[in-house]
Amino acid sequence: MATTPTPDAVPGRSDPDVLVVGAGVAGLFCAWFLRRAGLSVTVVDRGEVGDPAACSSGNTGFVGTQGAAPLAEPGVPAKGLRWLLHPESPFHVRPRLDRELLTWLWHFRRHCTERQARAGFEVLLDLKQRSLAILREVCAHDELAGTLTARGMLLACKTPEGYAQARATVPAAVTRGVPLRTLDPAELARLQPGVEFAVAGALLNEEGAALHIPAFLVAFARLLRASGVEILTDTEVRGFETVDRLVRTVRTSRGDLRAGEVVLAAGVWSVACARQLGVGLLLQPAKGYAVTVDSGPATPTLPVLLSEGKVAVMPLGDRVRLAGTLELTGLDTTVSPRRVEGIRRTVRSYLPAMDSGGRVRVWSGLRPCTPDSLPLIGRLGSYRNVSVATGHGHIGMGLAPAGGRLLAQLVTGTPPDVPVATFAVDRHRRRAR
Ligand SMILES: Cc1cc2nc3c(=O)[nH]c(=O)nc-3n(C[C@H](O)[C@H](O)[C@H](O)COP(=O)(O)OP(=O)(O)OC[C@H]3O[C@@H](n4cnc5c(N)ncnc54)[C@H](O)[C@@H]3O)c2cc1C
């Protein structure tokens, strides 16, 4: 009887130095830097590159130096209670007695202080600046032409209070090298003629940039393959065989694989992979929606973040993608029509003439979120050859490039360019002791 050849049954196939689990943005950037360090790399994914199930495949692709705030901020616990009761709110927790969720929420609450939010912002901004530099370099390759747009980005503020708060952040950001400037409604109208904004004002980040999703992911995978990285799709990791704190064999749906090092970069599913190795990760899936509609003449030409409404608007030629909501509802990807309507209503309140509807496509994705909004990058437990690169949360496209470089530095023993302890996989548990 003919059988499907398993990866390890392919004649002449030798074991790679590193096996990366997950071909989302986190896994692909790990592979990029590991390969550049001269290692042989295999990436495995249970789906295709750009598969709709992956969080990297349907998001708005905002990158650059804006929106580096952690989710945990001083006002969030108070707002959270109000949001919990509102079916169209941008934030939702499905109440349930789940130990991992309760532990996560406890740590999240601890980070809702002015001091922690400021510290988190500094770390995220630094990682985003490093990532933008990497993206510019990667997207300069012919294979990725047109997948990065860097024409600036707007933060639109509906209320005078929101605009005043946003304006207050400008001096510190400018000191950190972010080219931000304020725009009153008249200046905004001159910048975006024909677009009706019902706002008190806006900030323009001149180096704001956005990736075209999923085109970027697919083209990046092509570049990786051309550089010698093997990418095995339709290959699900189902378990590990370990000896003396070393992973010897990775069991997959297409046979056993072996590698010197294993990197778990499987987004929210990294938790299940780590659990198979007996290690817990403090990570929660946070569901979000992207609603893609036909764009009309009143669509902004620049990407826009709707500040108070927490919705992102990404123009994509004849279509426009509207993304928002953050729901802690486990691994459930069901779409809530009420929340989708909430996103569209928010957009209409800022851009009354824009969302004409037409062809409407709704996608939901699960962000891998940590309580402090910083990624988990480092060794897993006491395993000598397993590391993790996940937890990039609501800014994975903007953090994964620098995160992948750090991961490669750790694996190759190169001095890291950012403080390793900040991203340590067990940092929350250590600090809670
Ligand atoms: C609505 C929305 C809008 C967003 N907008 C932005 C934005 O504008 N800018 C930004 O920076 N970020 C944004 N994000 C966040 C960003 O999308 C995520 O942080 C990022 O995609 C996470 O990437 P990842 O590689 O960690 O996970 P994923 O992209 O989910 O990749 C994980 C991969 O692992 C594979 N996998 C899982 N389990 C296994 C297994 N057992 N075996 C093999 N393979 C496995 C999956 O198939 C998947 O391909 C947004 C997210 C959402 C939901």
Side-chain angles (χ1 to χ4, degrees):
M1 190 179 72
T3 54
T4 313
T6 57
D8 60 343
V10 175
R13 186 182 190 284
S14 55
D15 299 338
D17 295 320
V18 189
L19 183 99
V20 179
V21 184
V25 69
L28 294 185
F29 270 104
C30 290
W32 174 250
F33 283 105
L34 289 162
R35 183 73 197 114
R36 278 180 49 154
L39 302 181
S40 56
V41 184
T42 294
V43 180
V44 293
D45 199 291
R46 65 181 175 200
E48 295 298 318
V49 175
D51 196 290
C55 194
S56 306
S57 68
N59 62 62
T60 26
F62 285 13
V63 292
T65 45
Q66 203 155 301
L71 294 173
E73 287 183 316
V76 170
K79 268 193 233 156
L81 277 179
R82 239 181 307 132
W83 281 338
L84 266 182
L85 303 171
H86 198 299
E88 289 182 11
S89 67
F91 181 62
H92 175 65
V93 182
R94 182 183 294 158
R96 57 197 193 275
L97 277 177
D98 172 336
R99 212 184 126 113
E100 287 178 17
L101 172 66
L102 296 175
T103 310
W104 190 98
L105 287 171
W106 185 80
H107 283 278
F108 181 83
R109 177 74 187 77
R110 281 179 60 231
H111 281 89
C112 290
T113 66
E114 199 66 54
R115 191 178 62 81
Q116 299 268 21
R118 212 174 22 249
F121 174 81
E122 294 289 325
V123 176
L124 291 172
L125 181 60
D126 178 61
L127 220 53
K128 289 196 93 186
Q129 285 174 323
R130 291 170 189 276
S131 294
L132 182 59
I134 295 168
L135 282 170
R136 286 197 182 115
E137 203 186 306
V138 168
C139 293
H141 286 83
D142 287 348
E143 290 88 339
L144 282 101
T147 60
L148 176 74
T149 312
R151 288 182 295 126
M153 183 172 291
L154 289 164
L155 177 78
C157 306
K158 179 99 193 116
T159 62
E161 305 79 59
Y163 186 37
Q165 264 175 27
R167 274 201 319 256
T169 65
V170 174
V174 170
T175 311
R176 296 285 314 269
V178 181
L180 266 193
R181 64 187 172 92
T182 55
L183 299 175
D184 63 26
E187 289 169 315
L188 184 58
R190 276 198 295 280
L191 183 77
Q192 295 281 276
V195 182
E196 187 189 338
F197 277 98
V199 298
L203 302 187
L204 171 67
N205 181 343
E206 284 168 350
E207 68 176 5
L211 292 167
H212 292 254
I213 303 295
F216 163 78
L217 218 58
V218 174
F220 190 30
R222 213 178 302 130
L223 178 66
L224 281 162
R225 282 188 164 120
S227 74
V229 172
E230 179 183 42
I231 303 180
L232 300 174
T233 54
D234 296 317
T235 308
E236 181 175 33
V237 170
R238 295 190 170 160
F240 303 92
E241 189 189 296
T242 65
V243 180
D244 191 21
R245 310 309 285 173
L246 279 172
V247 167
R248 290 276 185 223
T249 307
V250 178
R251 304 227 179 275
T252 83
S253 52
R254 297 179 67 213
D256 290 351
L257 294 170
R258 273 171 281 280
E261 288 273 342
V262 177
V263 176
L264 304 182
V268 294
W269 302 280
S270 304
V271 176
C273 293
R275 202 178 287 134
Q276 283 166 337
L277 289 161
V279 183
L281 294 181
L282 198 50
L283 192 75
Q284 280 293 315
K287 180 163 62 176
Y289 303 127
V291 186
T292 308
V293 295
D294 288 344
S295 65
T299 303
T301 56
L302 293 180
V304 190
L305 268 171
L306 310 180
S307 182
E308 301 90 338
K310 310 228 173 292
V311 170
V313 177
M314 173 68 184
L316 296 166
D318 64 343
R319 310 275 279 152
V320 58
R321 188 166 291 161
L322 322 170
T325 80
L326 200 140
E327 296 180 37
L328 297 177
T329 49
L331 290 169
D332 167 24
T333 52
T334 319
V335 171
S336 152
R338 288 295 296 270
R339 286 184 199 282
V340 170
E341 186 43 37
I343 292 175
R344 296 181 72 179
R345 199 191 306 276
T346 299
V347 173
R348 282 194 294 272
S349 73
Y350 284 72
L351 292 153
M354 193 202 80
D355 177 3
S356 56
R359 297 164 293 162
V360 179
R361 196 181 136 243
V362 183
W363 169 88
S364 71
L366 298 173
R367 310 171 181 95
C369 286
T370 59
D372 57 5
S373 296
L374 306 182
L376 304 172
I377 300 171
R379 286 280 180 215
L380 180 74
S382 55
Y383 285 94
R384 290 184 283 147
N385 67 341
V386 185
S387 38
V388 173
T390 186
H392 302 83
H394 59 303
I395 25 190
M397 313 311 290
L399 299 178
R405 181 163 64 195
L406 174 62
L407 184 285
Q409 287 163 342
L410 294 175
V411 168
T412 56
T414 313
D417 58 354
V418 291
V420 183
T422 311
F423 307 104
V425 175
D426 62 348
R427 62 181 180 271
H428 300 99
R429 295 185 211 282
R430 275 193 283 117
R431 276 179 213 149
R433 274 181 209 141

